[in-house]
Amino acid sequence: MARPFLGGSSAGVKDLTAASTLSVADSGKVLFLNSSAEFATTLPAPSKGLKFSFVVKAAPSGASYTIVTPSGAILGSCAQGNAVPDMSDGSDTIITFVDGSAVVGDRIDLICDGTNYYIVGGLAKVGAGMTIS
């Protein structure tokens, strides 16, 4: 599977360790989810060309990591274990790396067309490791 956003300098990498709202300045970065107390990350309002890559650095234990879009939807599909769920109905707004199931290295890549966020790459080791709702 292609890794569209990996590479570059350390300026393009950021550890997320607490609940936060990303800004346009975070676009293009690899964002490591890295905490012993998991949290929610809110994407910025949709704007054409925004892209984010999330990687689980510390497996969730006791709670789940969530990635939330404030408007628009999350569309596309990603590989989860042996399953490939389809999020094409336009009603999904939350990605969850599930407590007790997600593992280090699970990831998801998003790009925005100005209205919605699209999954352009994603991988979870087990089917229950990531949900999109």
Side-chain angles (χ1 to χ4, degrees), residues 78-110:
C78 62
Q80 295 173 235
N82 294 324
V84 182
D86 178 19
M87 287 72 66
S88 60
D89 68 357
S91 65
D92 299 307
T93 59
I94 300 171
I95 298 166
T96 303
F97 287 102
V98 180
D99 170 36
S101 296
V103 298
V104 172
D106 285 358
R107 61 174 292 121
I108 197 152
D109 301 314
L110 303 170

Side-chain angles (χ1 to χ4, degrees), residues 6 9 11 25-26 36 39 42 49-50 58-59 66 70-71 80-81 96 101 107-108 117 122 127:
L6 291 180
S9 71
D26 292 313
S36 60
F39 51 85
T42 303
L50 293 179
T66 58
S71 62
Q80 295 173 235
T96 303
S101 296
R107 61 174 292 121
I108 197 152
Y117 283 93

Side-chain angles (χ1 to χ4, degrees), residues 4-120:
F5 306 131
L6 291 180
S9 71
S10 63
V13 175
K14 182 177 181 178
D15 271 4
L16 299 178
T17 59
S20 61
T21 298
L22 299 178
S23 71
V24 171
D26 292 313
S27 179
K29 291 183 179 177
V30 176
L31 304 159
F32 286 101
L33 303 172
N34 186 22
S35 177
S36 60
E38 288 65 45
F39 51 85
T41 302
T42 303
L43 297 167
S47 180
K48 192 173 189 173
L50 293 179
K51 54 187 172 182
F52 301 94
S53 183
F54 293 89
V55 179
V56 174
K57 186 173 181 178
S61 173
S64 299
Y65 295 115
T66 58
I67 302 163
V68 181
T69 180
S71 62
I74 298 168
L75 303 168
S77 60
C78 62
Q80 295 173 235
N82 294 324
V84 182
D86 178 19
M87 287 72 66
S88 60
D89 68 357
S91 65
D92 299 307
T93 59
I94 300 171
I95 298 166
T96 303
F97 287 102
V98 180
D99 170 36
S101 296
V103 298
V104 172
D106 285 358
R107 61 174 292 121
I108 197 152
D109 301 314
L110 303 170
I111 191 163
C112 186
D113 70 350
T115 302
N116 297 299
Y117 283 93
Y118 291 81
I119 298 168
V120 293

